[in-house]
């Protein structure tokens, strides 16, 4: 029963994300909006992590299965991939570089912020 309730929470945020995505003209996919809404709800403590932890762990552990249909779909479009492979490779390399740069920059800022917070806390205790 616990898995069913946890799956309900995840599917509820997925559905909310789909509604928001529809309202903004599908500019951002509903699944992504739903994930952001769930993150905000967890961060703002509107939803306790215990309400989604088991199902989210199960889904994350089996994530590879969700890529099988996409892989099969790619193989059915092999001719198209063969025609546009330079553009595909260039976009893959560029997007990977951008993601690595943004993640590295974000991590650096977070670490600096945490260090400042820790120093302030230590100074208050002295």
């Amino acid at each position: 029963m616990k898995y069913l309730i946890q799956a309900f929470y995840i599917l509820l945020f997925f559905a909310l994300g789909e509604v928001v995505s529809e309202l903004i003209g599908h500019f951002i996919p509903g699944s992504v909006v739903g994930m952001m809404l769930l993150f905000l709800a967890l961060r703002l403590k509107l939803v306790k992590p215990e309400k989604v932890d088991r199902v989210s762990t199960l889904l994350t552990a089996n994530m590879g299965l969700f890529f099988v249909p996409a892989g099969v779909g790619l193989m059915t479009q092999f001719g198209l991939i063969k025609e546009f492979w330079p553009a595909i490779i260039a976009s893959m390399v560029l997007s990977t570089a951008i993601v690595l740069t943004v993640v590295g920059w974000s991590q650096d800022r977070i670490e600096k912020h945490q260090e400042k917070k820790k120093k302030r806390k230590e100074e208050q205790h002295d």
Side-chain angles (χ1 to χ4, degrees):
M1 186 68 168
K2 191 168 190 161
Y3 280 100
L4 189 59
I5 294 169
Q6 289 188 12
F8 168 77
Y9 275 100
I10 291 173
L11 291 173
L12 173 68
F13 279 95
F14 172 74
L16 289 172
E18 288 293 330
V19 169
V20 171
S21 177
E22 179 75 30
L23 292 173
I24 62 172
H26 296 288
F27 180 70
I28 302 172
S31 56
V32 174
V33 175
M35 193 169 31
M36 290 188 299
L37 291 173
L38 179 58
F39 172 76
L40 286 173
L42 287 165
R43 189 78 175 139
L44 297 172
K45 296 185 171 75
L46 300 173
V47 174
K48 295 179 182 175
E50 300 82 41
K51 298 284 187 184
V52 293
D53 63 347
R54 288 187 181 179
V55 170
S56 60
T57 301
L58 178 74
L59 290 171
T60 305
N62 295 296
M63 193 183 308
L65 292 174
F66 298 110
F67 288 98
V68 171
V72 171
L74 278 173
M75 291 301 103
T76 64
Q77 299 298 321
F78 194 68
L80 194 61
I81 293 170
K82 194 167 117 178
E83 184 179 345
F84 293 104
W85 71 268
I88 293 169
I89 297 296
S91 64
M92 286 171 42
V93 169
L94 184 63
S95 63
T96 301
I98 291 170
V99 167
L100 286 173
T101 302
V102 170
V103 168
W105 176 79
S106 300
Q107 180 65 29
D108 188 49
R109 295 214 15 145
I110 289 169
E111 286 177 5
K112 285 179 182 176
H113 177 71
Q114 288 175 341
E115 285 175 16
K116 286 179 184 177
K117 196 173 178 182
K118 187 178 177 181
K119 283 181 184 177
R120 275 189 238 130
K121 208 174 201 181
E122 288 173 357
E123 288 173 359
Q124 288 176 354
H125 288 349
D126 289 344

